[in-house]
Amino acid sequence: MPRSALTGSRIRERRTLEGLKQADLARKVGISPAYLNLIEHNRRRIGGKLLVDLARELKVEVAALTE
């Protein structure tokens, strides 16, 4: 599996560590829960502003989600 495909899994892992529901995190970054679900299951690529917004809400550096 390419490294970039693991970003969604890392997002899901951090979200659960923070005790956030998928719907709550999606609302905070301005996307639908369904879209966040696709990202977390590595079915959608993610980058740019959305990745920065997710990292901020999850209280991690962007690199922690992408490396």
Side-chain angles (χ1 to χ4, degrees), residues 35-51:
Y35 187 55
L36 180 56
N37 187 56
L38 290 171
I39 290 169
E40 287 189 355
H41 287 89
N42 302 302
R43 294 193 182 113
R44 287 293 179 276
R45 295 179 72 85
I46 178 177
K49 182 183 182 311
L50 180 55
L51 184 57

Side-chain angles (χ1 to χ4, degrees), residues 15 19-37 39-40 49-50 53-54 56-58:
R15 177 179 58 75
L20 283 169
K21 292 181 182 167
Q22 211 172 43
D24 294 334
L25 179 58
R27 183 176 34 78
K28 287 180 178 194
V29 297
I31 61 174
S32 72
Y35 187 55
L36 180 56
N37 187 56
I39 290 169
E40 287 189 355
K49 182 183 182 311
L50 180 55
D53 291 347
L54 284 165
R56 184 188 66 239
E57 290 298 331
L58 295 171

